[in-house]
Amino acid sequence: MVNMLTFPAAVVLLVPSVTPVGGVFVVGTHTILFLKLYSYKDVNKWCRELSRVKAKKLARSLSCPSAQHLNGGDRKVCYPGNLTIRDMYYFVFAPTLCYELNFPRSPNIRMSFLLRRLFEMLFFMQMLVGLTQQWMIPIIESSMKPLEDMDLTRMTERLLRLAVPNHLLWLMFFYGFFHSSMNFSAELLRFGDRQFYNDWWNSETVTYFWQNWNIPVHKWCLRHFYKPLLRRGFSKMVSQSAVFFLSAFFHEYLVSIPLRMFRLWAFTGMMAQIPLAWLVGRYLRGNYGNAAVWMSIIIGQPFAVLMYVHDFYVLHYRQEAD
């Protein structure tokens, strides 16, 4: 399974014709497949262990939950009846990272709902490309000189100018991906669990934001990483820190590989979410906590964008010019 991460990374790093956009797509796709296959392996391992014990009633209740519909059919599936190519492919394309033997299924495909989500996907894709080219790129290009000269005043001005389009694009990407595209694939596959996000915009703590803005990843981390660490005897603090470390690793992996550079400041910046979450949760409440979360989103992301673009420019374009 490690090859799911190392092979695409090696291809992106060794093949010069792979662009950063193409690298993000390839690395992101293989990362999703890695998480899905890990969940598939874990769940079938748990079912296999249950089948070995003599508590057949308990094993049947855990491996065969009650459901009206299942992956690709209308009957319940029990282990090892789920070990089919059809079942695996359904899980690969389903908008979830956590495998189940019997997914909840919707009764039919609503064409009007499907077409609305398709229109939203196409609309936001065009908007993201257009606003990036017409708004963000000129600001980023004008920011290279202040960054090189370490002009703090102009750097701050460029950062604040970049914060507006960056945040707008982030919101559009969130809606286009987590609502439009995931609901589109769910409707097409009659996938019944549509909880892809919660009310993260009302977050009063950083922890609540990370737990609710990306439900599929949160469920995977909780089920396959956090709880196994607790069962092994680790404390909650250590387990939470390990989850943040894993998240920081994958965030840096998804960015550093396509850009062909690793930046320790970005990795430590992700890990800085741990003391930030502690400080906000301890000293800020209500609207003040919500304001702190929003400020970390609005200011933190454009700062990271500027740093990455600057380093990418220095490494790849200035060296060629010299």
Side-chain angles (χ1 to χ4, degrees):
M1 288 183 61
V2 179
N3 292 331
M4 295 292 297
L5 299 178
T6 57
F7 178 74
V11 172
V12 172
L13 292 174
L14 297 177
V15 179
S17 61
V18 179
T19 63
V21 176
V24 169
F25 178 79
V26 171
V27 172
T29 301
H30 281 78
T31 301
I32 293 173
L33 286 175
F34 169 80
L35 297 176
K36 282 177 174 282
L37 291 178
Y38 191 94
S39 178
Y40 186 82
K41 180 267 299 182
D42 260 5
V43 173
N44 283 288
K45 176 184 176 182
W46 298 336
C47 292
R48 186 164 56 251
E49 291 174 349
L50 285 173
S51 64
R52 292 173 180 173
V53 300
K54 294 184 179 180
K56 296 182 179 180
K57 184 176 181 180
L58 176 61
R60 190 180 300 112
S61 65
L62 291 176
S63 61
C64 303
S66 58
Q68 295 179 352
H69 306 283
L70 76 121
N71 335 355
D74 293 324
R75 296 179 303 170
K76 291 189 297 182
V77 169
C78 297
Y79 180 85
N82 63 303
L83 301 178
T84 63
I85 298 296
R86 181 181 182 180
D87 179 83
M88 175 175 283
Y89 271 103
Y90 183 90
F91 173 56
V92 167
F93 289 101
T96 181
L97 297 176
C98 293
Y99 177 71
E100 296 181 20
L101 273 69
N102 297 279
F103 288 110
R105 299 292 301 277
S106 55
N108 50 52
I109 298 176
R110 299 167 292 177
M111 290 305 300
S112 59
F113 181 88
L114 197 68
L115 292 175
R116 284 200 302 272
R117 301 291 83 80
L118 178 61
F119 172 77
E120 291 173 354
M121 290 166 56
L122 298 176
F123 173 77
F124 283 115
M125 188 181 301
Q126 295 297 320
M127 289 291 292
L128 288 170
V129 174
L131 291 177
T132 300
Q133 293 178 342
Q134 299 298 322
W135 197 353
M136 284 195 68
I137 291 180
I139 297 176
I140 292 174
E141 290 177 345
S142 66
S143 303
M144 294 299 102
K145 181 64 172 164
L147 285 172
E148 293 176 6
D149 298 338
M150 294 303 294
D151 188 341
L152 295 179
T153 302
R154 296 175 63 194
M155 287 170 55
T156 304
E157 185 265 340
R158 296 296 193 279
L159 177 64
L160 295 177
R161 284 178 57 191
L162 185 62
V164 177
N166 179 85
H167 188 60
L168 179 60
L169 290 172
W170 187 84
L171 292 176
M172 293 172 62
F173 168 79
F174 174 84
Y175 185 90
F177 183 78
F178 285 95
H179 185 78
S180 300
S181 65
M182 296 189 77
N183 270 296
F184 177 83
S185 60
E187 189 69 23
L188 197 62
L189 296 173
R190 293 171 50 213
F191 187 80
D193 186 2
R194 306 294 177 92
Q195 190 183 22
F196 305 126
Y197 57 90
N198 284 329
D199 60 334
W200 57 266
W201 48 89
N202 294 325
S203 302
E204 297 181 0
T205 63
V206 176
T207 303
Y208 186 88
F209 169 79
W210 282 106
Q211 291 175 349
N212 291 275
W213 86 278
N214 189 340
I215 294 297
V217 171
H218 171 67
K219 286 183 177 179
W220 189 94
C221 291
L222 190 67
R223 184 190 198 187
H224 298 285
F225 197 70
Y226 179 74
K227 289 185 177 180
L229 288 177
L230 292 180
R231 287 195 293 266
R232 291 173 179 266
F234 292 94
S235 65
K236 289 186 178 181
M237 186 61 187
V238 172
S239 301
Q240 290 175 354
S241 301
V243 171
F244 271 106
F245 183 87
L246 182 69
S247 176
F249 166 78
F250 276 111
H251 276 82
E252 182 61 19
Y253 171 81
L254 291 170
V255 177
S256 63
I257 298 300
L259 295 180
R260 298 184 176 92
M261 61 181 188
F262 173 77
R263 286 297 176 261
L264 184 61
W265 61 262
F267 186 81
T268 54
M270 283 294 301
M271 293 303 296
Q273 293 288 327
I274 298 177
L276 177 63
W278 182 82
L279 290 172
V280 173
R282 183 175 180 84
Y283 295 106
L284 298 177
R285 295 289 187 274
N287 293 334
Y288 295 103
N290 184 249
V293 173
W294 275 104
M295 289 300 296
S296 67
I297 299 173
I298 295 173
I299 300 299
Q301 290 183 2
F303 179 79
V305 169
L306 279 180
M307 294 298 100
Y308 268 119
V309 173
H310 173 263
D311 292 355
F312 182 80
Y313 169 78
V314 170
L315 287 176
H316 294 85
Y317 291 96
R318 179 185 287 180
Q319 291 179 358
E320 294 177 2
D322 295 341

